[in-house]
């Protein structure tokens, strides 16, 4: 466990509640995510993990509570959400690449559209990020020509092109064939080692043990238990966490 809790709070979450129609999905989540911290979220299917991640960059509206990123309340009506969103990269289970564009275009799109970079700058950055995920030779390929693992590495590179200072990952390896999981986790490990602030929903417990500073166990829209990987995986305290871990370990 690194001494990350000494640092600055990057994302402050306070009593976050969120429903879809009558279904209350988040029932009052509070936590602080520190700069450089790697937080892994585990929990049963349907417990609200994806919804929680999506609230962190305002992909969802909330019922009540607060999400504060770098001291900016992102649900305040006066906040320009695009400024905050640019700082937060997101990687999804199903890659969400644009299949009608080659890899390079996928990577250049957001920086150019959002006027963060000229085409030349965006191209240079894209090539640098492809290098970083080991896919410099795939710049001209289309997503359909890539394996699942390669697609996910492209998706990570695409997020990095916006120079985010937080990365959210929603089950980034769940859609991959087993032999491709490692290459994606490897990239994520390298990002963590570089000091990126990361919030990761994953069922990869081995990875979580190795990389997480803190693990949150979410069930039925609440943080039921949190602690270091050692605490959560080796000494879970609540019956719900014990039951869940018995199923996945
Ligand atoms: P998890 O990621 O932990 O599996 P989710 O956050 O995806 O859980 O979903 C939590 C609950 O909210 C589930 O019951 C799901 O069906 C419901 N839900 C998620 N997104 C929507 C939506 N857009 N509209 C209605 N219900 C939703
Ligand atoms: Mg989910």
């Amino acid at each position: 466990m690194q001494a990350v809790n000494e640092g600055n709070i990057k994302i402050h979450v306070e009593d976050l509640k969120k429903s879809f129609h009558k279904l209350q999905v988040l029932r009052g989540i509070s936590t602080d995510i520190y700069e450089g911290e790697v937080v892994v979220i585990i929990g049963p299917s349907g417990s609200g993990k994806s919804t929680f991640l999506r609230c962190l960059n305002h992909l969802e509206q909330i019922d009540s509570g607060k999400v504060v990123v770098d001291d900016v309340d992102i649900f305040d009506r006066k906040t320009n959400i695009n400024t905050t969103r640019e700082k937060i990269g997101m990687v999804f289970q199903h890659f969400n690449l644009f299949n009608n564009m080659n890899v390079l275009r996928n990577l250049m799109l957001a920086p150019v559209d959002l006027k963060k970079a000229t085409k030349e700058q965006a191209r240079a950055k894209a090539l640098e990020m492809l290098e970083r995920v080991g896919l410099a030779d795939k710049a001209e390929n289309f997503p359909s020509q890539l394996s699942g693992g390669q697609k996910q590495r492209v998706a990570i590179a695409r997020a990095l092109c916006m120079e985010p200072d937080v990365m959210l990952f929603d089950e980034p390896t769940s859609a991959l064939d087993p032999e491709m999981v490692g290459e994606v986790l490897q990239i994520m490990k390298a990002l963590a080692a570089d000091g990126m602030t990361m919030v990761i929903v994953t069922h990869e417990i081995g990875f979580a043990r190795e990389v997480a500073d803190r693990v949150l166990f979410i069930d039925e829209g609440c943080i039921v238990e949190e602690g270091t990987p050692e605490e959560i995986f080796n000494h879970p305290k609540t019956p719900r966490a014990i039951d869940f871990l018995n199923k996945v370990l």
Side-chain angles (χ1 to χ4, degrees):
M1 172 87 174
Q2 295 159 24
V4 286
N5 288 2
E6 307 299 318
N8 299 322
I9 295 175
K10 191 77 197 170
I11 306 180
H12 169 74
V13 183
E14 194 177 308
D15 203 18
L16 176 60
K17 293 183 181 158
K18 160 79 187 165
S19 320
F20 291 109
H21 309 289
K22 290 208 169 114
L23 178 70
Q24 194 175 6
V25 175
L26 302 178
R27 298 168 182 265
I29 299 232
S30 298
T31 191
D32 288 320
I33 292 157
Y34 288 82
E35 223 169 85
E37 193 179 24
V38 178
V39 175
V40 164
I41 298 175
I42 59 168
S45 177
S47 58
K49 305 180 300 296
S50 295
T51 304
F52 175 64
L53 273 196
R54 292 167 58 81
C55 287
L56 296 185
N57 66 351
H58 207 322
L59 288 175
E60 299 287 355
Q61 288 296 341
I62 64 173
D63 300 346
S64 62
K66 259 188 194 178
V67 176
V68 181
V69 179
D70 284 334
D71 297 323
V72 175
D73 181 345
I74 67 169
F75 291 100
D76 185 328
R77 274 184 295 138
K78 291 189 236 71
T79 301
N80 177 357
I81 185 56
N82 291 329
T83 317
T84 304
R85 246 186 223 147
E86 283 176 19
K87 292 194 261 187
I88 304 181
M90 185 147 182
V91 173
F92 303 88
Q93 184 175 350
H94 292 291
F95 329 125
N96 298 7
L97 297 175
F98 298 104
N99 290 319
N100 58 334
M101 294 178 202
N102 71 19
V103 165
L104 192 60
R105 296 275 160 220
N106 264 280
L107 269 60
M108 290 170 59
L109 189 68
V112 172
D113 269 8
L114 298 171
K115 305 205 181 336
K116 239 185 108 75
T118 64
K119 274 195 172 170
E120 290 67 35
Q121 289 166 334
R123 178 188 301 273
K125 186 86 194 169
L127 292 172
E128 183 192 332
M129 291 305 122
L130 282 177
E131 187 85 43
R132 189 159 170 190
V133 300
L135 292 173
D137 58 331
K138 301 291 185 198
E140 305 295 334
N141 286 73
F142 281 78
S144 60
Q145 299 169 310
L146 304 178
S147 71
Q150 289 171 335
K151 281 186 212 177
Q152 195 58 299
R153 285 150 67 196
V154 168
I156 295 172
R158 179 175 62 175
L160 292 174
C161 281
M162 289 295 288
E163 302 183 326
D165 41 34
V166 179
M167 286 281 284
L168 310 177
F169 292 87
D170 193 359
E171 300 199 33
T173 61
S174 294
L176 300 179
D177 290 334
E179 73 270 24
M180 293 170 189
V181 169
E183 65 192 70
V184 172
L185 296 180
Q186 206 52 51
I187 303 289
M188 293 168 66
K189 269 183 217 174
L191 263 181
D194 271 358
M196 180 65 81
T197 307
M198 296 162 72
V199 185
I200 306 164
V201 176
T202 185
H203 300 294
E204 294 291 333
I205 304 299
F207 168 80
R209 274 186 199 281
E210 210 179 315
V211 177
D213 296 301
R214 184 156 53 104
V215 178
L216 306 182
F217 170 65
I218 292 187
D219 194 13
E220 295 181 4
C222 299
I223 298 177
V224 173
E225 201 167 329
E226 69 176 297
T228 62
E230 157 79 12
E231 285 165 346
I232 298 295
F233 298 130
N234 297 9
H235 309 283
K237 293 189 192 72
T238 58
R240 283 198 275 173
I242 292 167
D243 181 52
F244 174 75
L245 288 166
N246 276 336
K247 288 179 187 142
V248 298
L249 281 177

